[in-house]
Amino acid sequence: MMTRAERAKIFAPFDAMKGLQEALRDREERHLRVERHEISEEEIERNSRVLAKLARGMKVEISCYCAFHDVVKLGRVTDIDVTFHKLKLDGEQIFFDDIYSIRITDLY
């Protein structure tokens, strides 16, 4: 005869509502999406001045629009591409047009 603990182990990995948690997370993520908001000319100018000062290795804090969400990212600049108006922050690509604000937190 099986003990109650052994019997419980048999049913522990069983998910009666397979995919429900994933579907709920997906729905919640879609519900929390926001539209990109516009920034003022002054903010655009300020961002341009900071972007002009950037160099690889600088640590920055960026408030930006990413995958339908407003996010704040911290990291080091790994690449700057002025031709395609994008930079890489720890390898993650961010387009200049998606940046709401950028601040240099240290120089190297």
Side-chain angles (χ1 to χ4, degrees):
M1 182 161 206
M2 250 187 233
T3 65
R4 190 174 278 196
E6 290 171 336
R7 189 172 164 86
K9 287 180 186 177
I10 294 171
F11 294 101
F14 179 69
D15 184 4
M17 302 178 104
K18 188 174 184 172
L20 176 64
Q21 292 300 321
E22 184 178 317
L24 289 173
R25 279 192 300 273
D26 184 51
R27 184 174 181 128
E28 181 180 11
E29 189 278 329
R30 281 186 278 126
H31 179 71
L32 295 174
R33 289 180 178 182
V34 295
E35 289 187 29
R36 180 186 328 218
H37 64 269
E38 298 297 320
I39 62 174
S40 69
E41 288 295 323
E42 295 164 351
E43 291 169 320
I44 292 170
E45 278 295 318
R46 185 170 38 82
N47 290 345
S48 293
R49 285 192 301 272
V50 174
L51 288 167
K53 294 177 188 176
L54 283 185
R56 288 183 182 159
M58 288 184 168
K59 192 172 181 184
V60 294
E61 176 181 314
I62 298 177
S63 173
C64 62
Y65 186 75
C66 178
F68 302 103
H69 299 284
D70 293 338
V71 295
V72 175
K73 297 180 183 250
L74 301 167
R76 293 210 179 268
V77 176
T78 54
D79 191 27
I80 304 165
D81 187 342
V82 293
T83 305
F84 293 104
H85 299 270
K86 63 183 178 181
L87 63 88
K88 287 190 179 178
L89 190 66
D90 294 328
E92 183 179 350
Q93 182 172 280
I94 302 172
F95 287 96
F96 293 173
D97 290 343
D98 291 336
I99 297 173
Y100 296 135
S101 67
I102 184 169
R103 182 174 66 92
I104 299 171
T105 57
D106 78 343
L107 292 179
Y108 289 97

